Amino acid sequence: MARAGRIYVEGRHDAELVERVWGDDLRIEGVVVEYLEGVDDLPSIVAEFGPGPDARLGVLVDHLVPGSKESRIAAQVTSPDVLVVGHPYIDVWEAVKPSSLGIPAWPTVPRGQDWKTGVCRALGWPENTGAAWQHILSRVTSYKDLEPELLGRVEELIDFVTAP
């Protein structure tokens, strides 16, 4: 049976990655992961959810660094029954260790260019971000394939929404 509490993530790729690594544990705990399609409307989404002591909400945000648009939006959420955490990466793709993909590092993509498309170009992959994501996801077999900055944040959210 699902808990009233939830974990929200920014996008479909984030949800698929969390499911890949933590899915069995989340099902045992009855935690549902839902994706938001971005965080621009996070304060109203949280208000609509109506968090409370028996329905806690955890939110994972990409690129949650000081001064970012994401940090300004997250700061608007102040409920004690909501925990907003993030990782420093532009996108959850970057939370996959380069060594798991057989690349030396994630490429630097110039500002103003779509990051995922730029990654595909720099790595010589076809500019099909859906296919690129499926390739990346297929190389993730356990938490060992992910960077600690993501691992810790997801574990923190699971602990928060499952606390008695």
Side-chain angles (χ1 to χ4, degrees):
M1 174 169 299
R3 291 176 180 267
R6 296 282 186 268
I7 293 177
Y8 286 170
V9 297
E10 274 200 64
R12 186 174 53 94
H13 295 174
D14 308 66
E16 290 173 352
L17 186 60
V18 169
E19 168 62 28
R20 170 72 55 115
V21 175
W22 290 274
D24 290 339
D25 294 336
L26 291 168
R27 280 185 287 285
I28 289 168
E29 294 293 337
V31 176
V32 175
V33 174
E34 298 180 25
Y35 69 92
L36 298 171
E37 298 184 40
V39 295
D40 290 347
D41 298 320
L42 185 62
S44 62
I45 290 168
V46 169
E48 184 178 320
F49 177 81
D54 295 327
R56 295 172 123 200
L57 180 61
V59 183
L60 179 67
V61 178
D62 293 346
H63 200 235
L64 191 61
V65 297
S68 68
K69 171 187 88 167
E70 293 83 358
S71 67
R72 289 188 298 277
I73 292 169
Q76 296 174 43
V77 177
T78 58
S79 169
D81 299 307
V82 179
L83 176 63
V84 180
V85 299
H87 56 75
Y89 306 112
I90 298 284
D91 188 86
V92 77
W93 287 21
E94 204 175 8
V96 176
K97 289 181 179 177
S99 59
S100 297
L101 298 170
I103 60 175
W106 284 101
T108 300
V109 176
R111 285 183 65 99
Q113 186 178 114
D114 178 72
W115 189 82
K116 292 176 183 176
T117 303
V119 164
C120 291
R121 274 189 206 124
L123 294 175
W125 296 351
E127 291 183 24
N128 178 336
T129 58
W133 171 245
Q134 290 308 309
H135 169 71
I136 294 164
L137 187 60
S138 75
R139 304 300 292 272
V140 176
T141 59
S142 79
Y143 70 91
K144 294 177 185 176
D145 295 310
L146 302 176
E147 297 290 356
E149 293 85 353
L150 176 67
L151 291 172
R153 300 304 70 78
V154 174
E155 294 289 338
E156 191 176 351
L157 291 175
I158 294 169
D159 290 347
F160 181 77
V161 301
T162 60

